[in-house]
């Protein structure tokens, strides 16, 4: 299988509509990156500010990003109503953009059926215009899992650590019938099959510049 391996990634921006979105969609990738090269994680969550869910997110990201400095901003946009608060979402993203210069941006993907996720997916590439934006998937009731072109293999221990941390930190979500270890490992196993790994996380790529040395670097 042909793959591309970027150089060391030092700084990552992660964006979520709700506390737990980032961890569900990209928790294994964060664990992997922060165990290798990433030293700074800039995170923006649009809802939950000033509530117990903000505290859940702070504690969770500290564990998902070991040995990295985490800069987390949590806003208080109403959950489930983001399209009606477009200006607040856009202003929050623009303010966040001015705080960081990441090498990779992880955000929701455009085909997500949840209106909050979808709006954020549409706005992130208009804010981070010159960055590699990877859209993560969030399993839910709706049948909206996308066709995945980008796969990041996860070691078995990383996949299991991810589900352990999801159960440990997001206790407010455990009443949902889909929120359990089997669900998260099943998605990771499916993506693993697609890249000949035991487990993996999948992403949708917004745009990727493949530099093969053909550009005139003198300009």
């Amino acid at each position: 299988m042909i793959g591309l391996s970027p150089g060391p990634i030092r700084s990552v921006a992660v964006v979520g509509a709700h506390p737990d979105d980032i961890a569900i969609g990209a928790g294994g990738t964060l664990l992997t990156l922060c165990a290798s090269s990433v030293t700074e994680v800039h995170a923006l969550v649009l809802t939950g500010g000033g509530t117990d869910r903000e505290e859940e997110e702070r504690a969770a990201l500290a564990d998902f990003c070991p040995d990295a400095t985490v800069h987390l901003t949590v806003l208080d946009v109403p959950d489930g109503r983001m399209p009606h608060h477009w200006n607040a979402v856009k202003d929050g993203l623009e303010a966040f953009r001015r705080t960081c210069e990441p090498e990779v941006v992880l955000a929701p993907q455009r085909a997500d059926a949840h209106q909050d996720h979808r709006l954020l997916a549409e706005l992130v590439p208009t804010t981070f215009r010159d960055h590699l934006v990877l859209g993560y998937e969030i399993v839910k009731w709706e049948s909206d899992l996308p066709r995945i072109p980008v796969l990041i293999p996860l070691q078995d221990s990383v996949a299991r650590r991810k589900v352990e941390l999801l159960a440990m930190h997001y206790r407010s979500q455990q009443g949902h019938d889909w929120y359990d270890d089997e669900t998260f490992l099943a998605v990771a196993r499916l993506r693993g099959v697609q890249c000949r790994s035991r487990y993996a996380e999948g992403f949708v790529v917004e745009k990727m510049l493949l530099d093969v040395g053909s550009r005139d670097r003198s300009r």
Side-chain angles (χ1 to χ4, degrees):
M1 179 179 293
I2 297 176
L4 298 175
S5 297
I9 298 171
R10 305 298 183 189
S11 178
V12 175
V14 289
V15 184
H18 316 101
D20 80 10
D21 286 354
I22 294 167
I24 291 173
T29 297
L30 283 177
L31 283 165
T32 300
L33 287 171
C34 292
S36 57
S37 61
V38 164
T39 59
E40 280 198 316
V41 175
H42 300 267
L44 173 66
V45 177
L46 273 294
T47 65
T51 71
D52 290 344
R53 297 214 64 197
E54 177 177 349
E55 297 309 311
E56 285 183 340
E57 187 76 331
R58 290 192 181 279
L61 286 183
D63 279 346
F64 273 103
C65 306
D67 301 321
T69 300
V70 179
H71 308 276
L72 172 62
T73 300
V74 183
L75 304 181
D76 60 354
V77 178
D79 188 349
R81 298 291 186 270
M82 281 191 192
H84 294 290
H85 297 270
W86 190 96
N87 285 336
V89 175
K90 182 64 172 177
D91 289 347
L93 273 174
E94 293 285 358
F96 176 65
R97 170 67 185 89
R98 291 191 291 270
T99 68
C100 59
E101 191 58 65
E103 292 158 289
V104 178
V105 180
L106 307 178
Q109 51 92 18
R110 289 179 186 264
D112 197 300
H114 193 294
Q115 65 274 10
D116 292 354
H117 303 169
R118 192 167 59 250
L119 175 62
L120 192 53
E122 292 169 354
L123 290 179
V124 166
T126 71
T127 306
F128 290 90
R129 290 182 174 273
D130 299 313
H131 296 76
L132 175 61
V133 177
L134 299 179
Y136 54 73
E137 56 184 341
I138 301 176
V139 63
K140 63 180 77 65
W141 170 260
E142 293 83 3
S143 300
D144 64 349
L145 291 183
R147 183 175 180 178
I148 289 294
V150 178
L151 293 152
I152 298 179
L154 303 178
Q155 294 182 0
D156 289 20
S157 59
V158 170
R160 296 189 181 282
R161 178 61 172 163
K162 172 183 174 176
V163 299
E164 176 186 339
L165 292 177
L166 285 169
M168 179 190 307
H169 287 296
Y170 298 106
R171 298 187 181 278
S172 64
Q173 302 306 295
Q174 292 178 7
H176 297 300
D177 55 7
W178 57 269
Y179 196 98
D180 58 38
D181 294 2
E182 284 185 307
T183 298
F184 301 127
L185 283 176
V187 175
R189 181 69 186 109
L190 171 63
R191 298 313 183 193
V193 167
Q194 294 169 346
C195 64
R196 295 199 174 110
S197 174
R198 180 67 181 172
Y199 297 110
E201 285 181 336
F203 298 87
V204 176
V205 65
E206 279 289 327
K207 182 190 294 184
M208 184 174 68
L209 176 65
L210 184 59
D211 187 349
V212 295
S214 60
R215 291 188 297 162
D216 183 354
R217 297 181 182 275
S218 65
R219 286 192 276 175

